[in-house]
Amino acid sequence: DIVMTQSPDSLAVSLGERATINCKSSQSVLYSSNKKNYLAWYQQKPGQPPKLLIYWASTRESGVPDRFSGSGSGTDFTLTISSLQAEDVAVYYCQQYYSTPITFGQGTRLDIK
Amino acid sequence: QVQLVQSGAEVKKPGASVKVSCKASGYTFTSYGISWMRQVPGQGLEWMGWISGYNGNTNYAQKLQGRVTMTTDTSTSTAYMDLRSLRSDDTAVYYCARGSVPGTGRDQVYNWFDPWGQGTLVTVSS
């Protein structure tokens, strides 16, 4: 199984400041034939299902604000929120879809400082 | 709009079974697969398995093999997840989610998920 490890487990950032969440996979999720990273990011608010933010490691889902961006390749990935807004308080998860079982990171809780 | 609506909360005794439904609307059901995840309250997400909306092919997490069965009813655009021999550690919120890329092959399991159902709380308690 591919183990997804996020860091940090939680962080607090001031409004308007940058937030960075890391995700590391235990093996590469870069598929050589199409040069795509099989990595997605989700946002989950209390009492709600996860909401898709990013897929293919860096493609922003339609309707997601452009302050959210994804980067990285192979085994190391980053979700960046360029200017934190109050509504961004949530738990964030990375997910690999390179192989089964599909696996998620343990989550990173983001709060306002 | 594309929507998945799940059945309501359940309370079950240890050893019993539960069947959760997931009714799809707003898209061609047979063109996409459905994955099921669960989340123990306050904890992370666990993928349980996938079923093709096209032909019912499945791919289950090894941990749940033998206890889980996923089915579909294409006439009502509904997916079902049946979990047997329930234990207290099966207490969780269960989610269905659509794979985002259309297709009919087994490779459709390799997908990100959007949208998700609203979740169904299953409580296992004596």
mmCIF file of all heavy atoms in Angstrom, chain A residues 72-104:
data_model
loop_
_atom_site.group_PDB
_atom_site.id
_atom_site.type_symbol
_atom_site.label_atom_id
_atom_site.label_comp_id
_atom_site.label_asym_id
_atom_site.label_seq_id
_atom_site.Cartn_x
_atom_site.Cartn_y
_atom_site.Cartn_z
ATOM 1 N N GLY A 72 4.573 19.940 -6.969
ATOM 2 C CA GLY A 72 5.333 18.755 -6.587
ATOM 3 C C GLY A 72 5.258 17.665 -7.634
ATOM 4 O O GLY A 72 4.456 17.722 -8.576
ATOM 5 N N SER A 73 6.092 16.650 -7.452
ATOM 6 C CA SER A 73 6.130 15.530 -8.392
ATOM 7 C C SER A 73 6.808 14.340 -7.727
ATOM 8 O O SER A 73 7.640 14.518 -6.825
ATOM 9 C CB SER A 73 6.893 15.919 -9.660
ATOM 10 O OG SER A 73 6.850 14.882 -10.616
ATOM 11 N N GLY A 74 6.423 13.148 -8.191
ATOM 12 C CA GLY A 74 7.065 11.941 -7.676
ATOM 13 C C GLY A 74 6.531 11.541 -6.323
ATOM 14 O O GLY A 74 5.520 10.834 -6.234
ATOM 15 N N THR A 75 7.216 11.945 -5.267
ATOM 16 C CA THR A 75 6.805 11.574 -3.916
ATOM 17 C C THR A 75 6.544 12.768 -3.007
ATOM 18 O O THR A 75 6.080 12.576 -1.882
ATOM 19 C CB THR A 75 7.884 10.703 -3.243
ATOM 20 O OG1 THR A 75 9.099 11.448 -3.157
ATOM 21 C CG2 THR A 75 8.120 9.400 -4.011
ATOM 22 N N ASP A 76 6.850 13.961 -3.442
ATOM 23 C CA ASP A 76 6.728 15.137 -2.574
ATOM 24 C C ASP A 76 5.831 16.200 -3.191
ATOM 25 O O ASP A 76 6.096 16.666 -4.311
ATOM 26 C CB ASP A 76 8.115 15.713 -2.274
ATOM 27 C CG ASP A 76 8.932 14.785 -1.407
ATOM 28 O OD1 ASP A 76 8.699 14.788 -0.184
ATOM 29 O OD2 ASP A 76 9.775 14.034 -1.947
ATOM 30 N N PHE A 77 4.815 16.579 -2.434
ATOM 31 C CA PHE A 77 3.790 17.478 -2.938
ATOM 32 C C PHE A 77 3.463 18.553 -1.910
ATOM 33 O O PHE A 77 3.649 18.346 -0.704
ATOM 34 C CB PHE A 77 2.533 16.693 -3.302
ATOM 35 C CG PHE A 77 2.793 15.640 -4.342
ATOM 36 C CD1 PHE A 77 3.152 14.351 -3.979
ATOM 37 C CD2 PHE A 77 2.733 15.953 -5.692
ATOM 38 C CE1 PHE A 77 3.430 13.385 -4.932
ATOM 39 C CE2 PHE A 77 3.008 15.006 -6.654
ATOM 40 C CZ PHE A 77 3.361 13.718 -6.273
ATOM 41 N N THR A 78 2.942 19.684 -2.419
ATOM 42 C CA THR A 78 2.609 20.803 -1.546
ATOM 43 C C THR A 78 1.297 21.429 -1.991
ATOM 44 O O THR A 78 1.052 21.607 -3.188
ATOM 45 C CB THR A 78 3.712 21.879 -1.601
ATOM 46 O OG1 THR A 78 4.951 21.308 -1.165
ATOM 47 C CG2 THR A 78 3.372 23.059 -0.708
ATOM 48 N N LEU A 79 0.468 21.746 -0.987
ATOM 49 C CA LEU A 79 -0.718 22.577 -1.209
ATOM 50 C C LEU A 79 -0.424 23.926 -0.577
ATOM 51 O O LEU A 79 -0.053 23.993 0.598
ATOM 52 C CB LEU A 79 -1.952 21.953 -0.561
ATOM 53 C CG LEU A 79 -3.236 22.803 -0.611
ATOM 54 C CD1 LEU A 79 -3.758 22.888 -2.040
ATOM 55 C CD2 LEU A 79 -4.302 22.219 0.316
ATOM 56 N N THR A 80 -0.594 24.976 -1.356
ATOM 57 C CA THR A 80 -0.340 26.330 -0.872
ATOM 58 C C THR A 80 -1.606 27.163 -0.967
ATOM 59 O O THR A 80 -2.289 27.144 -1.996
ATOM 60 C CB THR A 80 0.782 27.001 -1.690
ATOM 61 O OG1 THR A 80 1.978 26.215 -1.598
ATOM 62 C CG2 THR A 80 1.066 28.407 -1.178
ATOM 63 N N ILE A 81 -1.902 27.856 0.115
ATOM 64 C CA ILE A 81 -2.955 28.872 0.107
ATOM 65 C C ILE A 81 -2.224 30.201 0.211
ATOM 66 O O ILE A 81 -1.582 30.488 1.224
ATOM 67 C CB ILE A 81 -3.941 28.679 1.266
ATOM 68 C CG1 ILE A 81 -4.478 27.246 1.280
ATOM 69 C CG2 ILE A 81 -5.095 29.667 1.160
ATOM 70 C CD1 ILE A 81 -5.309 26.890 2.505
ATOM 71 N N SER A 82 -2.318 31.002 -0.830
ATOM 72 C CA SER A 82 -1.432 32.172 -0.933
ATOM 73 C C SER A 82 -1.787 33.280 0.051
ATOM 74 O O SER A 82 -0.901 33.978 0.551
ATOM 75 C CB SER A 82 -1.461 32.726 -2.355
ATOM 76 O OG SER A 82 -2.783 33.123 -2.684
ATOM 77 N N SER A 83 -3.062 33.432 0.348
ATOM 78 C CA SER A 83 -3.506 34.488 1.250
ATOM 79 C C SER A 83 -4.712 33.962 2.019
ATOM 80 O O SER A 83 -5.828 33.935 1.493
ATOM 81 C CB SER A 83 -3.881 35.747 0.451
ATOM 82 O OG SER A 83 -4.388 36.750 1.300
ATOM 83 N N LEU A 84 -4.478 33.527 3.238
ATOM 84 C CA LEU A 84 -5.493 32.797 3.989
ATOM 85 C C LEU A 84 -6.724 33.653 4.266
ATOM 86 O O LEU A 84 -6.612 34.816 4.718
ATOM 87 C CB LEU A 84 -4.894 32.305 5.306
ATOM 88 C CG LEU A 84 -5.788 31.354 6.099
ATOM 89 C CD1 LEU A 84 -5.868 29.997 5.398
ATOM 90 C CD2 LEU A 84 -5.286 31.200 7.536
ATOM 91 N N GLN A 85 -7.874 33.066 3.979
ATOM 92 C CA GLN A 85 -9.154 33.695 4.294
ATOM 93 C C GLN A 85 -9.823 32.924 5.429
ATOM 94 O O GLN A 85 -9.547 31.738 5.640
ATOM 95 C CB GLN A 85 -10.049 33.702 3.067
ATOM 96 C CG GLN A 85 -9.422 34.355 1.841
ATOM 97 C CD GLN A 85 -9.080 35.810 2.074
ATOM 98 O OE1 GLN A 85 -9.951 36.608 2.439
ATOM 99 N NE2 GLN A 85 -7.809 36.167 1.893
ATOM 100 N N ALA A 86 -10.758 33.584 6.115
ATOM 101 C CA ALA A 86 -11.415 32.943 7.257
ATOM 102 C C ALA A 86 -12.121 31.658 6.852
ATOM 103 O O ALA A 86 -12.155 30.684 7.614
ATOM 104 C CB ALA A 86 -12.386 33.919 7.915
ATOM 105 N N GLU A 87 -12.664 31.647 5.643
ATOM 106 C CA GLU A 87 -13.419 30.467 5.187
ATOM 107 C C GLU A 87 -12.515 29.280 4.836
ATOM 108 O O GLU A 87 -13.016 28.202 4.509
ATOM 109 C CB GLU A 87 -14.303 30.821 3.984
ATOM 110 C CG GLU A 87 -13.566 31.314 2.766
ATOM 111 C CD GLU A 87 -13.504 32.828 2.699
ATOM 112 O OE1 GLU A 87 -13.448 33.470 3.774
ATOM 113 O OE2 GLU A 87 -13.513 33.361 1.583
ATOM 114 N N ASP A 88 -11.207 29.465 4.892
ATOM 115 C CA ASP A 88 -10.281 28.374 4.576
ATOM 116 C C ASP A 88 -9.991 27.490 5.792
ATOM 117 O O ASP A 88 -9.274 26.485 5.657
ATOM 118 C CB ASP A 88 -8.965 28.928 4.015
ATOM 119 C CG ASP A 88 -9.166 29.754 2.758
ATOM 120 O OD1 ASP A 88 -10.175 29.510 2.052
ATOM 121 O OD2 ASP A 88 -8.336 30.626 2.492
ATOM 122 N N VAL A 89 -10.513 27.855 6.953
ATOM 123 C CA VAL A 89 -10.335 27.020 8.139
ATOM 124 C C VAL A 89 -10.999 25.662 7.888
ATOM 125 O O VAL A 89 -12.204 25.589 7.602
ATOM 126 C CB VAL A 89 -10.937 27.690 9.381
ATOM 127 C CG1 VAL A 89 -10.978 26.712 10.558
ATOM 128 C CG2 VAL A 89 -10.130 28.936 9.746
ATOM 129 N N ALA A 90 -10.214 24.603 7.956
ATOM 130 C CA ALA A 90 -10.695 23.273 7.557
ATOM 131 C C ALA A 90 -9.580 22.271 7.821
ATOM 132 O O ALA A 90 -8.479 22.626 8.253
ATOM 133 C CB ALA A 90 -11.063 23.258 6.072
ATOM 134 N N VAL A 91 -9.892 21.006 7.532
ATOM 135 C CA VAL A 91 -8.878 19.958 7.483
ATOM 136 C C VAL A 91 -8.623 19.647 6.012
ATOM 137 O O VAL A 91 -9.565 19.533 5.219
ATOM 138 C CB VAL A 91 -9.331 18.692 8.232
ATOM 139 C CG1 VAL A 91 -8.259 17.604 8.134
ATOM 140 C CG2 VAL A 91 -9.623 19.021 9.698
ATOM 141 N N TYR A 92 -7.363 19.519 5.651
ATOM 142 C CA TYR A 92 -6.960 19.264 4.270
ATOM 143 C C TYR A 92 -6.343 17.877 4.160
ATOM 144 O O TYR A 92 -5.540 17.472 5.006
ATOM 145 C CB TYR A 92 -5.982 20.339 3.801
ATOM 146 C CG TYR A 92 -6.646 21.691 3.692
ATOM 147 C CD1 TYR A 92 -6.801 22.512 4.817
ATOM 148 C CD2 TYR A 92 -7.171 22.128 2.481
ATOM 149 C CE1 TYR A 92 -7.451 23.733 4.728
ATOM 150 C CE2 TYR A 92 -7.819 23.343 2.377
ATOM 151 C CZ TYR A 92 -7.964 24.137 3.509
ATOM 152 O OH TYR A 92 -8.616 25.354 3.412
ATOM 153 N N TYR A 93 -6.728 17.167 3.100
ATOM 154 C CA TYR A 93 -6.241 15.802 2.867
ATOM 155 C C TYR A 93 -5.630 15.695 1.475
ATOM 156 O O TYR A 93 -6.175 16.230 0.508
ATOM 157 C CB TYR A 93 -7.381 14.783 2.939
ATOM 158 C CG TYR A 93 -8.018 14.626 4.292
ATOM 159 C CD1 TYR A 93 -9.158 15.345 4.634
ATOM 160 C CD2 TYR A 93 -7.481 13.739 5.236
ATOM 161 C CE1 TYR A 93 -9.752 15.200 5.879
ATOM 162 C CE2 TYR A 93 -8.074 13.585 6.483
ATOM 163 C CZ TYR A 93 -9.196 14.319 6.789
ATOM 164 O OH TYR A 93 -9.787 14.172 8.025
ATOM 165 N N CYS A 94 -4.517 14.968 1.370
ATOM 166 C CA CYS A 94 -4.034 14.542 0.061
ATOM 167 C C CYS A 94 -4.483 13.103 -0.173
ATOM 168 O O CYS A 94 -4.780 12.366 0.777
ATOM 169 C CB CYS A 94 -2.518 14.668 -0.061
ATOM 170 S SG CYS A 94 -1.538 13.715 1.127
ATOM 171 N N GLN A 95 -4.560 12.717 -1.424
ATOM 172 C CA GLN A 95 -5.022 11.374 -1.813
ATOM 173 C C GLN A 95 -4.227 10.930 -3.033
ATOM 174 O O GLN A 95 -4.066 11.696 -3.991
ATOM 175 C CB GLN A 95 -6.506 11.402 -2.183
ATOM 176 C CG GLN A 95 -7.050 10.088 -2.746
ATOM 177 C CD GLN A 95 -7.925 10.298 -3.995
ATOM 178 O OE1 GLN A 95 -8.520 11.363 -4.190
ATOM 179 N NE2 GLN A 95 -7.997 9.285 -4.839
ATOM 180 N N GLN A 96 -3.765 9.676 -3.009
ATOM 181 C CA GLN A 96 -3.140 9.128 -4.207
ATOM 182 C C GLN A 96 -4.121 8.202 -4.903
ATOM 183 O O GLN A 96 -4.849 7.441 -4.252
ATOM 184 C CB GLN A 96 -1.811 8.413 -3.879
ATOM 185 C CG GLN A 96 -1.906 7.153 -3.047
ATOM 186 C CD GLN A 96 -2.314 5.903 -3.830
ATOM 187 O OE1 GLN A 96 -2.201 5.856 -5.051
ATOM 188 N NE2 GLN A 96 -2.803 4.884 -3.119
ATOM 189 N N TYR A 97 -4.157 8.275 -6.225
ATOM 190 C CA TYR A 97 -5.005 7.363 -7.004
ATOM 191 C C TYR A 97 -4.156 6.610 -8.033
ATOM 192 O O TYR A 97 -4.646 6.184 -9.081
ATOM 193 C CB TYR A 97 -6.187 8.094 -7.645
ATOM 194 C CG TYR A 97 -5.865 9.398 -8.361
ATOM 195 C CD1 TYR A 97 -5.685 9.431 -9.738
ATOM 196 C CD2 TYR A 97 -5.799 10.590 -7.659
ATOM 197 C CE1 TYR A 97 -5.433 10.628 -10.403
ATOM 198 C CE2 TYR A 97 -5.537 11.794 -8.303
ATOM 199 C CZ TYR A 97 -5.351 11.805 -9.671
ATOM 200 O OH TYR A 97 -5.100 12.995 -10.318
ATOM 201 N N TYR A 98 -2.891 6.422 -7.710
ATOM 202 C CA TYR A 98 -1.945 5.704 -8.572
ATOM 203 C C TYR A 98 -2.171 4.196 -8.501
ATOM 204 O O TYR A 98 -2.028 3.494 -9.514
ATOM 205 C CB TYR A 98 -0.523 6.048 -8.115
ATOM 206 C CG TYR A 98 0.577 5.413 -8.912
ATOM 207 C CD1 TYR A 98 1.090 6.037 -10.048
ATOM 208 C CD2 TYR A 98 1.137 4.203 -8.515
ATOM 209 C CE1 TYR A 98 2.124 5.469 -10.776
ATOM 210 C CE2 TYR A 98 2.159 3.626 -9.233
ATOM 211 C CZ TYR A 98 2.657 4.261 -10.357
ATOM 212 O OH TYR A 98 3.676 3.695 -11.074
ATOM 213 N N SER A 99 -2.494 3.709 -7.318
ATOM 214 C CA SER A 99 -2.695 2.264 -7.165
ATOM 215 C C SER A 99 -3.733 2.009 -6.080
ATOM 216 O O SER A 99 -3.995 2.875 -5.233
ATOM 217 C CB SER A 99 -1.375 1.571 -6.807
ATOM 218 O OG SER A 99 -0.950 1.950 -5.512
ATOM 219 N N THR A 100 -4.284 0.814 -6.113
ATOM 220 C CA THR A 100 -5.211 0.420 -5.052
ATOM 221 C C THR A 100 -4.460 -0.361 -3.975
ATOM 222 O O THR A 100 -3.510 -1.096 -4.298
ATOM 223 C CB THR A 100 -6.360 -0.440 -5.593
ATOM 224 O OG1 THR A 100 -5.824 -1.599 -6.243
ATOM 225 C CG2 THR A 100 -7.216 0.367 -6.563
ATOM 226 N N PRO A 101 -4.831 -0.211 -2.702
ATOM 227 C CA PRO A 101 -5.931 0.624 -2.254
ATOM 228 C C PRO A 101 -5.627 2.112 -2.405
ATOM 229 O O PRO A 101 -4.499 2.542 -2.135
ATOM 230 C CB PRO A 101 -6.083 0.234 -0.788
ATOM 231 C CG PRO A 101 -4.700 -0.132 -0.360
ATOM 232 C CD PRO A 101 -4.096 -0.827 -1.558
ATOM 233 N N ILE A 102 -6.623 2.868 -2.853
ATOM 234 C CA ILE A 102 -6.525 4.322 -2.835
ATOM 235 C C ILE A 102 -6.257 4.730 -1.387
ATOM 236 O O ILE A 102 -6.890 4.184 -0.464
ATOM 237 C CB ILE A 102 -7.842 4.961 -3.312
ATOM 238 C CG1 ILE A 102 -8.268 4.405 -4.683
ATOM 239 C CG2 ILE A 102 -7.753 6.474 -3.306
ATOM 240 C CD1 ILE A 102 -7.315 4.723 -5.800
ATOM 241 N N THR A 103 -5.348 5.655 -1.164
ATOM 242 C CA THR A 103 -5.028 6.049 0.210
ATOM 243 C C THR A 103 -4.990 7.560 0.356
ATOM 244 O O THR A 103 -4.695 8.291 -0.596
ATOM 245 C CB THR A 103 -3.694 5.450 0.672
ATOM 246 O OG1 THR A 103 -2.683 5.700 -0.316
ATOM 247 C CG2 THR A 103 -3.816 3.951 0.905
ATOM 248 N N PHE A 104 -5.272 7.988 1.586
ATOM 249 C CA PHE A 104 -5.303 9.407 1.945
ATOM 250 C C PHE A 104 -4.241 9.698 2.999
ATOM 251 O O PHE A 104 -3.875 8.812 3.780
ATOM 252 C CB PHE A 104 -6.675 9.773 2.534
ATOM 253 C CG PHE A 104 -7.824 9.677 1.573
ATOM 254 C CD1 PHE A 104 -8.432 8.454 1.322
ATOM 255 C CD2 PHE A 104 -8.308 10.803 0.935
ATOM 256 C CE1 PHE A 104 -9.497 8.363 0.444
ATOM 257 C CE2 PHE A 104 -9.378 10.725 0.052
ATOM 258 C CZ PHE A 104 -9.977 9.492 -0.192
#
